[in-house]
Amino acid sequence: MPIKDYRKQHETDIAKAAKKTASDEKEYAAERLGAVKGGADEKAHAIASTELTVENLGDQIDQLCKILLKKSESVKVRDAVITQLNMAEFFGPAYEPHRAKVEEALRSVATDKSTTIRHAALQKLALKNDDYARDILKKSLNSDNEEVIDDAGAIRLLGLDDHGEVTKIAKAKFEKLSAKAKKEAVRVLVSDPDASKLLSKVMKDKSHDGELRKLSAIGLQKLDSSEFLKNALKAVKDKAEDPKVQAAYINTANIELEDVEKAAKQAAKEGLESLAKRAKKLRKETRSRILKGAAKRFVDKAGKL
């Protein structure tokens, strides 16, 4: 055989072998994933260590979805599956043909008996603004039914969406929410211009814990800085107020001073100056190191007005 023909034949054989090897690896990967043996730890480890490639992605996703939908499988294994499905999305265009299958599988386990699986599925779907997940979360909040997800989790996940529905629910049900959910509610209400009245009320209410009041102060400062400064001044004048809360309010007021030129021009300047005067007195009166430090920083910065 002429050398030229020999080389051509050799190259053809190599190409066929490479193609067959890729096909074999693809089939082997899918078979390996579908036939994982052992306990939950071994299975979860095998799933986590299974390599995803563009070539085997479709088969792997098929196998992963089957395992996820197998209710008799352990939570640890199915949670590892969801993690792998999340990784699959990084393949971009190669993942798109399989997106619908993955999302349908996630919807199927969004009300799973396992809290871990439910929450993982709902979070993934909520990030995609999925209508089905959003309906589950809204129904859970509106019915006060925490069988699927608690109120804090529902608000947090609804807050990932930009439909604005969560702010309406958060305001309407605020008093009935758990302490943890109220904090999540305050975080999402920062985006609602009509929430300033509620945030002002929470900021002034000593029956709420300090962390919730601090979050409300930060939110109110963004929505209505004048109202925030009025509340902050009242709080730092109150000798019965928690020094940590006073310090938090003063630290939040520092945001008003970030742009000195802007602060000097706005109507809030009078409030800032009044707060600075009170903070100056607090440095001498308080025994709280946290409050002394916050007051000093604010007074030093306010002196530039």
Side-chain angles (χ1 to χ4, degrees):
M1 178 184 294
I3 293 178
K4 183 179 180 181
D5 293 340
Y6 177 80
R7 286 178 177 171
K8 186 175 181 179
Q9 180 63 49
H10 184 59
E11 288 172 357
T12 300
D13 291 342
I14 290 176
K16 286 182 179 179
K19 187 175 182 180
K20 187 175 185 303
T21 299
S23 177
D24 290 344
E25 286 179 352
K26 178 180 175 181
E27 291 177 8
Y28 172 71
E31 289 173 3
R32 176 173 176 265
L33 190 57
V36 173
K37 304 293 183 181
D41 287 341
E42 288 82 4
K43 287 182 179 180
H45 177 71
I47 288 168
S49 60
T50 298
E51 183 181 4
L52 297 177
T53 66
V54 172
E55 290 76 17
N56 71 22
L57 194 63
D59 292 307
Q60 293 289 53
I61 286 176
D62 286 344
Q63 290 296 331
L64 288 168
C65 287
K66 286 179 183 178
I67 297 171
L68 178 61
L69 296 174
K70 190 176 180 181
K71 300 294 177 73
S72 61
E73 190 57 85
S74 72
V75 171
K76 189 166 189 177
V77 169
R78 295 168 75 209
D79 192 37
V81 165
I82 293 178
T83 299
Q84 277 289 73
L85 289 174
N86 288 340
M87 295 295 293
E89 193 167 3
F90 286 103
F91 283 84
Y95 173 79
E96 288 307 317
H98 314 291
R99 180 182 295 280
K101 184 181 185 69
V102 172
E103 292 181 353
E104 187 56 39
L106 291 172
R107 292 187 194 103
S108 296
V109 298
T111 55
D112 195 83
K113 65 179 181 179
S114 163
T115 301
T116 299
I117 299 302
R118 284 199 311 273
H119 288 194
L122 284 170
Q123 177 163 310
K124 181 64 177 177
L125 291 170
L127 284 167
K128 299 299 178 183
N129 296 338
D130 184 80
D131 289 338
Y132 180 73
R134 189 164 59 248
D135 285 343
I136 289 176
L137 296 170
K138 285 192 295 183
K139 286 177 182 177
S140 179
L141 270 179
N142 286 323
S143 65
D144 298 320
N145 182 0
E146 298 193 355
E147 185 177 331
V148 174
I149 190 169
D150 62 23
D151 55 356
I155 290 176
R156 180 177 62 81
L157 294 182
L158 280 171
L160 297 174
D161 190 359
D162 60 359
H163 281 66
E165 294 167 297
V166 65
T167 59
K168 296 177 184 177
I169 300 173
K171 284 188 292 186
K173 299 184 69 66
F174 190 83
E175 295 303 330
K176 294 183 179 180
L177 296 175
S178 66
K180 185 177 179 182
K182 284 178 179 175
K183 292 174 185 176
E184 293 294 344
V186 167
R187 290 188 178 99
V188 300
L189 287 173
V190 174
S191 63
D192 182 2
D194 296 326
S196 57
K197 185 176 180 180
L198 174 59
L199 295 179
S200 179
K201 181 181 177 182
V202 175
M203 181 181 173
K204 293 182 288 187
D205 191 343
K206 292 182 181 180
S207 68
H208 291 303
D209 69 66
E211 183 62 27
L212 178 61
R213 295 176 70 198
K214 293 175 195 175
L215 289 171
S216 297
I218 293 170
L220 185 60
Q221 188 277 327
K222 293 178 180 178
L223 295 178
D224 188 341
S225 60
S226 294
E227 181 68 10
F228 158 73
L229 286 170
K230 184 174 74 174
N231 292 347
L233 181 59
K234 184 177 180 180
V236 297
K237 285 183 175 180
D238 184 355
K239 293 184 178 180
E241 183 59 271
D242 181 352
K244 290 183 180 179
V245 170
Q246 291 176 318
Y249 290 177
I250 290 173
N251 284 333
T252 303
N254 269 316
I255 298 172
E256 295 287 322
L257 299 170
E258 290 300 322
D259 186 335
V260 176
E261 185 177 342
K262 180 181 176 182
K265 291 180 180 178
Q266 62 182 281
K269 181 182 178 184
E270 185 177 338
L272 288 167
E273 291 174 339
S274 296
L275 189 59
K277 289 177 182 178
R278 179 56 189 157
K280 193 172 184 178
K281 289 183 179 180
L282 273 178
R283 288 177 60 187
K284 298 177 181 179
E285 297 174 357
T286 185
R287 293 182 179 181
S288 168
R289 294 177 62 184
I290 293 175
L291 183 52
K292 274 184 183 293
K296 181 181 185 303
R297 287 190 295 274
F298 184 75
V299 169
D300 289 347
K301 188 174 287 188
K304 298 176 183 178
L305 279 177

PDB file of all heavy atoms in Angstrom, residues 13 18 24 52 60 71 111 123 128 136 139 148 157 189 213 215 219 230-231 233 245:
ATOM      1  N   ASP A  13      -8.842   5.398  10.698  1.00  0.00           N
ATOM      2  CA  ASP A  13      -8.980   4.456  11.820  1.00  0.00           C
ATOM      3  C   ASP A  13      -8.938   5.188  13.163  1.00  0.00           C
ATOM      4  O   ASP A  13      -9.691   4.865  14.085  1.00  0.00           O
ATOM      5  CB  ASP A  13      -7.861   3.404  11.768  1.00  0.00           C
ATOM      6  CG  ASP A  13      -8.029   2.456  10.588  1.00  0.00           C
ATOM      7  OD1 ASP A  13      -9.152   2.403  10.054  1.00  0.00           O
ATOM      8  OD2 ASP A  13      -7.034   1.793  10.234  1.00  0.00           O
ATOM      9  N   ALA A  18     -11.640   7.268  17.946  1.00  0.00           N
ATOM     10  CA  ALA A  18     -11.934   8.398  18.837  1.00  0.00           C
ATOM     11  C   ALA A  18     -13.438   8.579  18.991  1.00  0.00           C
ATOM     12  O   ALA A  18     -13.956   8.837  20.076  1.00  0.00           O
ATOM     13  CB  ALA A  18     -11.312   9.681  18.291  1.00  0.00           C
ATOM     14  N   ASP A  24     -18.605   5.431  23.718  1.00  0.00           N
ATOM     15  CA  ASP A  24     -18.522   4.476  24.827  1.00  0.00           C
ATOM     16  C   ASP A  24     -18.501   5.193  26.169  1.00  0.00           C
ATOM     17  O   ASP A  24     -19.153   4.767  27.138  1.00  0.00           O
ATOM     18  CB  ASP A  24     -17.265   3.606  24.695  1.00  0.00           C
ATOM     19  CG  ASP A  24     -17.386   2.641  23.524  1.00  0.00           C
ATOM     20  OD1 ASP A  24     -18.519   2.452  23.033  1.00  0.00           O
ATOM     21  OD2 ASP A  24     -16.345   2.101  23.107  1.00  0.00           O
ATOM     22  N   LEU A  52     -19.515  15.752  34.198  1.00  0.00           N
ATOM     23  CA  LEU A  52     -20.449  16.168  33.164  1.00  0.00           C
ATOM     24  C   LEU A  52     -19.650  16.745  32.003  1.00  0.00           C
ATOM     25  O   LEU A  52     -18.725  17.530  32.204  1.00  0.00           O
ATOM     26  CB  LEU A  52     -21.406  17.240  33.701  1.00  0.00           C
ATOM     27  CG  LEU A  52     -22.333  16.841  34.850  1.00  0.00           C
ATOM     28  CD1 LEU A  52     -23.157  18.047  35.299  1.00  0.00           C
ATOM     29  CD2 LEU A  52     -23.252  15.706  34.450  1.00  0.00           C
ATOM     30  N   GLN A  60     -26.761  12.203  31.091  1.00  0.00           N
ATOM     31  CA  GLN A  60     -26.573  12.401  32.524  1.00  0.00           C
ATOM     32  C   GLN A  60     -27.789  13.084  33.143  1.00  0.00           C
ATOM     33  O   GLN A  60     -28.248  12.717  34.228  1.00  0.00           O
ATOM     34  CB  GLN A  60     -25.319  13.263  32.780  1.00  0.00           C
ATOM     35  CG  GLN A  60     -24.009  12.601  32.415  1.00  0.00           C
ATOM     36  CD  GLN A  60     -23.629  11.482  33.371  1.00  0.00           C
ATOM     37  OE1 GLN A  60     -24.406  10.576  33.612  1.00  0.00           O
ATOM     38  NE2 GLN A  60     -22.438  11.549  33.923  1.00  0.00           N
ATOM     39  N   LYS A  71     -38.810   8.646  44.808  1.00  0.00           N
ATOM     40  CA  LYS A  71     -39.126   9.033  46.193  1.00  0.00           C
ATOM     41  C   LYS A  71     -38.509   8.109  47.243  1.00  0.00           C
ATOM     42  O   LYS A  71     -38.281   8.511  48.391  1.00  0.00           O
ATOM     43  CB  LYS A  71     -40.653   9.067  46.388  1.00  0.00           C
ATOM     44  CG  LYS A  71     -41.367  10.054  45.455  1.00  0.00           C
ATOM     45  CD  LYS A  71     -40.985  11.486  45.757  1.00  0.00           C
ATOM     46  CE  LYS A  71     -41.626  12.465  44.777  1.00  0.00           C
ATOM     47  NZ  LYS A  71     -43.059  12.635  44.998  1.00  0.00           N
ATOM     48  N   THR A 111     -43.053  20.051  46.272  1.00  0.00           N
ATOM     49  CA  THR A 111     -43.901  19.781  47.448  1.00  0.00           C
ATOM     50  C   THR A 111     -43.524  18.430  48.053  1.00  0.00           C
ATOM     51  O   THR A 111     -44.345  17.774  48.687  1.00  0.00           O
ATOM     52  CB  THR A 111     -45.391  19.798  47.064  1.00  0.00           C
ATOM     53  OG1 THR A 111     -45.616  18.871  45.998  1.00  0.00           O
ATOM     54  CG2 THR A 111     -45.825  21.184  46.618  1.00  0.00           C
ATOM     55  N   GLN A 123     -36.067  26.977  45.641  1.00  0.00           N
ATOM     56  CA  GLN A 123     -35.077  28.038  45.476  1.00  0.00           C
ATOM     57  C   GLN A 123     -34.595  28.117  44.034  1.00  0.00           C
ATOM     58  O   GLN A 123     -34.486  29.215  43.463  1.00  0.00           O
ATOM     59  CB  GLN A 123     -33.880  27.809  46.400  1.00  0.00           C
ATOM     60  CG  GLN A 123     -32.780  28.859  46.202  1.00  0.00           C
ATOM     61  CD  GLN A 123     -31.797  28.897  47.353  1.00  0.00           C
ATOM     62  OE1 GLN A 123     -32.175  28.975  48.512  1.00  0.00           O
ATOM     63  NE2 GLN A 123     -30.522  28.831  47.031  1.00  0.00           N
ATOM     64  N   LYS A 128     -35.561  31.398  38.821  1.00  0.00           N
ATOM     65  CA  LYS A 128     -35.955  31.477  37.407  1.00  0.00           C
ATOM     66  C   LYS A 128     -37.320  32.144  37.257  1.00  0.00           C
ATOM     67  O   LYS A 128     -37.910  32.116  36.170  1.00  0.00           O
ATOM     68  CB  LYS A 128     -36.006  30.068  36.799  1.00  0.00           C
ATOM     69  CG  LYS A 128     -34.671  29.336  36.826  1.00  0.00           C
ATOM     70  CD  LYS A 128     -33.625  30.091  36.035  1.00  0.00           C
ATOM     71  CE  LYS A 128     -32.279  29.400  36.085  1.00  0.00           C
ATOM     72  NZ  LYS A 128     -31.242  30.176  35.373  1.00  0.00           N
ATOM     73  N   ILE A 136     -46.939  28.425  44.709  1.00  0.00           N
ATOM     74  CA  ILE A 136     -46.793  27.630  45.929  1.00  0.00           C
ATOM     75  C   ILE A 136     -46.402  28.526  47.103  1.00  0.00           C
ATOM     76  O   ILE A 136     -46.961  28.439  48.192  1.00  0.00           O
ATOM     77  CB  ILE A 136     -45.728  26.523  45.744  1.00  0.00           C
ATOM     78  CG1 ILE A 136     -46.245  25.444  44.797  1.00  0.00           C
ATOM     79  CG2 ILE A 136     -45.347  25.905  47.089  1.00  0.00           C
ATOM     80  CD1 ILE A 136     -45.227  24.377  44.480  1.00  0.00           C
ATOM     81  N   LYS A 139     -49.342  30.900  48.120  1.00  0.00           N
ATOM     82  CA  LYS A 139     -50.394  30.157  48.816  1.00  0.00           C
ATOM     83  C   LYS A 139     -49.958  29.805  50.232  1.00  0.00           C
ATOM     84  O   LYS A 139     -50.753  29.854  51.173  1.00  0.00           O
ATOM     85  CB  LYS A 139     -50.735  28.885  48.039  1.00  0.00           C
ATOM     86  CG  LYS A 139     -51.537  29.137  46.772  1.00  0.00           C
ATOM     87  CD  LYS A 139     -51.786  27.849  46.005  1.00  0.00           C
ATOM     88  CE  LYS A 139     -52.550  28.119  44.711  1.00  0.00           C
ATOM     89  NZ  LYS A 139     -52.737  26.875  43.904  1.00  0.00           N
ATOM     90  N   VAL A 148     -45.343  23.328  53.534  1.00  0.00           N
ATOM     91  CA  VAL A 148     -44.403  23.287  52.410  1.00  0.00           C
ATOM     92  C   VAL A 148     -43.131  24.072  52.733  1.00  0.00           C
ATOM     93  O   VAL A 148     -42.024  23.592  52.526  1.00  0.00           O
ATOM     94  CB  VAL A 148     -45.056  23.847  51.135  1.00  0.00           C
ATOM     95  CG1 VAL A 148     -44.029  23.934  49.999  1.00  0.00           C
ATOM     96  CG2 VAL A 148     -46.218  22.964  50.706  1.00  0.00           C
ATOM     97  N   LEU A 157     -37.699  33.732  49.208  1.00  0.00           N
ATOM     98  CA  LEU A 157     -37.694  33.235  47.834  1.00  0.00           C
ATOM     99  C   LEU A 157     -38.566  34.087  46.915  1.00  0.00           C
ATOM    100  O   LEU A 157     -38.202  34.321  45.757  1.00  0.00           O
ATOM    101  CB  LEU A 157     -38.164  31.771  47.804  1.00  0.00           C
ATOM    102  CG  LEU A 157     -37.230  30.768  48.486  1.00  0.00           C
ATOM    103  CD1 LEU A 157     -37.771  29.355  48.347  1.00  0.00           C
ATOM    104  CD2 LEU A 157     -35.817  30.842  47.916  1.00  0.00           C
ATOM    105  N   LEU A 189     -39.052  45.008  51.603  1.00  0.00           N
ATOM    106  CA  LEU A 189     -39.850  46.232  51.580  1.00  0.00           C
ATOM    107  C   LEU A 189     -39.033  47.473  51.225  1.00  0.00           C
ATOM    108  O   LEU A 189     -39.596  48.524  50.921  1.00  0.00           O
ATOM    109  CB  LEU A 189     -40.542  46.440  52.938  1.00  0.00           C
ATOM    110  CG  LEU A 189     -41.708  45.490  53.221  1.00  0.00           C
ATOM    111  CD1 LEU A 189     -42.202  45.668  54.647  1.00  0.00           C
ATOM    112  CD2 LEU A 189     -42.842  45.714  52.219  1.00  0.00           C
ATOM    113  N   ARG A 213     -35.252  46.277  64.206  1.00  0.00           N
ATOM    114  CA  ARG A 213     -35.328  47.743  64.193  1.00  0.00           C
ATOM    115  C   ARG A 213     -34.173  48.354  63.392  1.00  0.00           C
ATOM    116  O   ARG A 213     -34.339  49.349  62.685  1.00  0.00           O
ATOM    117  CB  ARG A 213     -35.327  48.262  65.633  1.00  0.00           C
ATOM    118  CG  ARG A 213     -36.572  47.849  66.419  1.00  0.00           C
ATOM    119  CD  ARG A 213     -36.485  48.284  67.849  1.00  0.00           C
ATOM    120  NE  ARG A 213     -36.593  49.745  67.966  1.00  0.00           N
ATOM    121  CZ  ARG A 213     -36.212  50.432  69.051  1.00  0.00           C
ATOM    122  NH1 ARG A 213     -35.676  49.799  70.090  1.00  0.00           N
ATOM    123  NH2 ARG A 213     -36.352  51.737  69.074  1.00  0.00           N
ATOM    124  N   LEU A 215     -32.648  46.918  60.809  1.00  0.00           N
ATOM    125  CA  LEU A 215     -32.955  46.684  59.399  1.00  0.00           C
ATOM    126  C   LEU A 215     -34.010  47.679  58.903  1.00  0.00           C
ATOM    127  O   LEU A 215     -33.928  48.182  57.781  1.00  0.00           O
ATOM    128  CB  LEU A 215     -33.473  45.252  59.203  1.00  0.00           C
ATOM    129  CG  LEU A 215     -32.444  44.126  59.364  1.00  0.00           C
ATOM    130  CD1 LEU A 215     -33.136  42.768  59.360  1.00  0.00           C
ATOM    131  CD2 LEU A 215     -31.396  44.184  58.267  1.00  0.00           C
ATOM    132  N   GLY A 219     -33.710  50.502  55.883  1.00  0.00           N
ATOM    133  CA  GLY A 219     -34.696  50.595  54.815  1.00  0.00           C
ATOM    134  C   GLY A 219     -35.340  51.963  54.745  1.00  0.00           C
ATOM    135  O   GLY A 219     -35.517  52.540  53.666  1.00  0.00           O
ATOM    136  N   LYS A 230     -35.569  61.912  61.854  1.00  0.00           N
ATOM    137  CA  LYS A 230     -36.458  62.311  62.940  1.00  0.00           C
ATOM    138  C   LYS A 230     -36.558  61.193  63.973  1.00  0.00           C
ATOM    139  O   LYS A 230     -36.457  61.446  65.185  1.00  0.00           O
ATOM    140  CB  LYS A 230     -37.850  62.627  62.382  1.00  0.00           C
ATOM    141  CG  LYS A 230     -38.830  63.143  63.431  1.00  0.00           C
ATOM    142  CD  LYS A 230     -40.149  63.570  62.794  1.00  0.00           C
ATOM    143  CE  LYS A 230     -40.945  62.354  62.390  1.00  0.00           C
ATOM    144  NZ  LYS A 230     -42.295  62.722  61.895  1.00  0.00           N
ATOM    145  N   ASN A 231     -36.719  59.969  63.509  1.00  0.00           N
ATOM    146  CA  ASN A 231     -36.799  58.824  64.418  1.00  0.00           C
ATOM    147  C   ASN A 231     -35.473  58.572  65.130  1.00  0.00           C
ATOM    148  O   ASN A 231     -35.434  58.239  66.322  1.00  0.00           O
ATOM    149  CB  ASN A 231     -37.197  57.569  63.647  1.00  0.00           C
ATOM    150  CG  ASN A 231     -38.614  57.621  63.137  1.00  0.00           C
ATOM    151  OD1 ASN A 231     -39.401  58.481  63.538  1.00  0.00           O
ATOM    152  ND2 ASN A 231     -38.955  56.701  62.246  1.00  0.00           N
ATOM    153  N   LEU A 233     -33.101  60.760  65.827  1.00  0.00           N
ATOM    154  CA  LEU A 233     -32.867  61.802  66.818  1.00  0.00           C
ATOM    155  C   LEU A 233     -33.663  61.535  68.080  1.00  0.00           C
ATOM    156  O   LEU A 233     -33.158  61.679  69.201  1.00  0.00           O
ATOM    157  CB  LEU A 233     -33.249  63.179  66.237  1.00  0.00           C
ATOM    158  CG  LEU A 233     -33.027  64.382  67.162  1.00  0.00           C
ATOM    159  CD1 LEU A 233     -31.552  64.482  67.563  1.00  0.00           C
ATOM    160  CD2 LEU A 233     -33.478  65.669  66.462  1.00  0.00           C
ATOM    161  N   VAL A 245     -28.986  49.930  69.818  1.00  0.00           N
ATOM    162  CA  VAL A 245     -29.910  50.444  68.807  1.00  0.00           C
ATOM    163  C   VAL A 245     -29.540  51.884  68.468  1.00  0.00           C
ATOM    164  O   VAL A 245     -29.532  52.278  67.302  1.00  0.00           O
ATOM    165  CB  VAL A 245     -31.371  50.366  69.309  1.00  0.00           C
ATOM    166  CG1 VAL A 245     -32.314  51.118  68.362  1.00  0.00           C
ATOM    167  CG2 VAL A 245     -31.809  48.906  69.435  1.00  0.00           C
TER     168      VAL A 245
END
